[in-house]
Amino acid sequence: ETGVTQTPRHLVMGMTNKKSLKCEQHLGHNAMYWYKQSAKKPLELMFVYSLEERVENNSVPSRFSPECPNSSHLFLHLHTLQPEDSALYLCASSWTSGRGNEQFFGPGTRLTVL
Amino acid sequence: AQSVAQPEDQVNVAEGNPLTVKCTYSVSGNPYLFWYVQYPNRGLQFLLKYITGDNLVKGSYGFEAEFNKSQTSFHLKKPSALVSDSALYFCAVRDNRDDKIIFGKGTRLHILP
């Protein structure tokens, strides 16, 4: 899984904290994604960036703020989260050209909101 | 609207036996179909995909899947299961006219020694 790395791997934060999740891809891809994986729920696509521009935001609360400074890096800034935001946050990357392109996932950040 | 269903939360198979993990889908246009596997404390790993062409697709670790347009299914199969195949498996679908990708809720596969 060295193609897509995520830091930190685990994060515990209070509801008033501000933290950021980082994702880096070493595959030369030009699209990056944030997903939320909660227990017993389908994988939820949160944000999509293509060529460093946000192309999709699936009605995600504003307490989640993405940033994509270049095609290799993706951040998810977190502030005033709720306990129900506790989940595994997965980053993925792919080529944008062609909808048949598979995604490559990082190992995820396990987030716990107290 | 596109959707994907994995009807089984869990599948148990004895080691050495064939395995099948089911997936059905619904799209407006032509489907792009994917299977991913997730091992504990890891992200999802791509296994195989169907875009066009031969209905039988072969992928990593000896897995294969058959695209059946009339039944709108894309079941994952392996002729002989290994204990190391125990993991969470996700089916995903993408409409060829849309950028959205939808994942199923996942099926946990237990291979019993």
Side-chain angles (χ1 to χ4, degrees), chain B residues 36-67:
Chain B
Y36 290 84
V37 60
Q38 186 177 30
Y39 297 101
N41 301 313
R42 304 282 289 274
L44 278 68
Q45 284 179 239
F46 169 73
L47 274 180
L48 52 79
K49 65 182 177 183
Y50 172 81
I51 304 302
T52 187
D54 195 346
N55 289 344
L56 184 64
V57 178
K58 294 187 183 296
S60 307
Y61 311 120
F63 284 94
E64 58 188 30
E66 186 165 13
F67 171 63

Side-chain angles (χ1 to χ4, degrees), chain B residues 1 5 10 14 17 21-22 34-35 44 51 62 65 70 82 90 99 112:
Chain B
Q10 182 167 310
N17 283 3
V21 183
K22 295 179 180 177
F34 304 83
W35 275 102
L44 278 68
I51 304 302
S70 62
L82 300 173
F90 291 92
D99 279 327
L112 309 170

Side-chain angles (χ1 to χ4, degrees), chain A residues 4-19:
Chain A
V4 181
T5 58
Q6 290 187 244
T7 55
R9 292 294 305 274
H10 300 272
L11 178 62
V12 179
M13 59 187 289
M15 289 193 286
T16 58
N17 291 160
K18 287 185 180 182
K19 296 286 185 183

Side-chain angles (χ1 to χ4, degrees), chain A residues 1 9 33 35 37 41-43 45 56 58 88 90 98-108 110, chain B residues 32 34 36 38 41-46 49 51 88 90 94-101 103-105:
Chain A
E1 291 183 19
R9 292 294 305 274
Y33 312 77
Y35 287 89
Q37 186 177 25
K41 290 179 71 175
L43 206 60
L45 178 63
E56 188 161 336
N58 284 336
L88 182 68
L90 292 166
R99 297 190 174 102
N101 292 321
E102 61 271 25
Q103 295 178 12
F104 291 76
F105 286 79
R110 174 70 62 186
Chain B
Y32 295 155
F34 304 83
Y36 290 84
Q38 186 177 30
N41 301 313
R42 304 282 289 274
L44 278 68
Q45 284 179 239
F46 169 73
K49 65 182 177 183
I51 304 302
L88 188 57
F90 291 92
R94 200 169 203 172
D95 190 322
N96 71 326
R97 302 178 300 178
D98 194 311
D99 279 327
K100 292 186 186 297
I101 182 167
F103 282 81
K105 61 179 173 59

Side-chain angles (χ1 to χ4, degrees), chain A residues 60-79:
Chain A
V60 178
S62 59
R63 55 186 184 269
F64 295 93
S65 174
E67 178 189 1
C68 186
N70 56 60
S71 61
S72 298
H73 294 86
L74 185 65
F75 295 88
L76 188 62
H77 303 300
L78 316 171
H79 64 97

